[in-house]
């Protein structure tokens, strides 16, 4: 099974960005954890992060026919991007939305998720562990 692990803006600044909200782990730490979990789950992963909405749309489109599922932390684009929603709907690849923080307990604008309508489920507030849970969910869902 092949999974795309897709991360949006400012995820590359983990460890620096609001540690009280996102923890002290760095993006490199996240990548290390993802590699370990992928080996444990016997799945192949490709990780991609961009601060640019169009790059994320391009990567979703490129994933068509190449991956079995997507673990997606759209970060701030969660709350603003219809383009990402449309890309996910177009390729129809099973996708799990992930957030490191508990977005439901944060600012009002973070209560809106445009991408959620194209996702199987949302996992939020579990830190890096949420990515593992998303990978497990996709493995069970896709079979």
């Amino acid at each position: 099974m092949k999974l795309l692990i897709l991360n949006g803006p400012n995820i590359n600044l983990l460890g620096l960005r609001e540690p009280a909200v996102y923890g002290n782990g760095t993006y490199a730490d996240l990548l290390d954890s993802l590699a370990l979990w992928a080996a444990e789950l016997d799945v192949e992963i490709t990780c991609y992060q961009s601060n640019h909405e169009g790059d994320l749309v391009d990567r979703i489109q490129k994933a068509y026919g190449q991956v079995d599922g997507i673990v997606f932390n759209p970060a701030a684009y969660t709350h603003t991007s219809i383009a990402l929603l449309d890309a996910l709907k177009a390729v129809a690849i099973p996708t799990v939305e992930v957030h490191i923080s508990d977005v439901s307990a944060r600012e009002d604008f973070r209560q809106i998720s445009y991408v959620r309508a194209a996702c199987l489920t949302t996992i939020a507030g579990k830190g890096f562990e949420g990515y593992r849970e998303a990978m497990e969910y996709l493995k069970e869902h896709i079979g």
Side-chain angles (χ1 to χ4, degrees):
M1 173 178 297
K2 294 181 181 180
L3 300 178
L4 171 62
I5 313 297
L6 192 58
N7 284 289
N10 299 308
I11 300 299
N12 58 311
L13 294 180
L14 289 171
L16 298 175
R17 179 181 177 220
E18 299 179 85
V21 174
Y22 299 103
N24 293 315
T26 65
Y27 184 60
D29 294 335
L30 175 60
L31 293 177
D32 289 345
S33 294
L34 289 166
L36 177 67
W37 296 330
E40 290 173 0
L41 294 169
D42 193 30
V43 297
E44 181 182 329
I45 62 169
T46 300
C47 298
Y48 185 80
Q49 185 276 329
S50 179
N51 294 319
H52 305 282
E53 183 180 25
D55 288 348
L56 296 168
V57 169
D58 289 345
R59 193 61 191 89
I60 291 166
Q61 291 177 1
K62 183 179 174 186
Y64 182 75
Q66 303 298 309
V67 301
D68 302 299
I70 299 172
V71 174
F72 190 18
N73 182 344
Y77 290 134
T78 303
H79 322 292
T80 64
S81 183
I82 295 168
L84 290 173
L85 167 65
D86 287 349
L88 290 170
K89 287 169 63 176
V91 299
I93 298 169
T95 301
V96 174
E97 176 185 10
V98 173
H99 298 284
I100 295 167
S101 70
D102 181 3
V103 290
S104 68
R106 297 185 61 196
E107 303 93 338
D108 288 345
F109 70 86
R110 294 190 197 273
Q111 307 312 305
I112 298 166
S113 171
Y114 285 103
V115 301
R116 190 162 295 151
C119 295
L120 299 171
T121 192
T122 299
I123 300 167
K126 297 187 176 185
F128 289 0
E129 205 47 49
Y131 288 84
R132 179 189 178 96
E133 189 174 320
M135 292 166 68
E136 290 171 344
Y137 185 94
L138 285 169
K139 186 169 182 181
E140 288 175 25
H141 178 79
I142 297 166

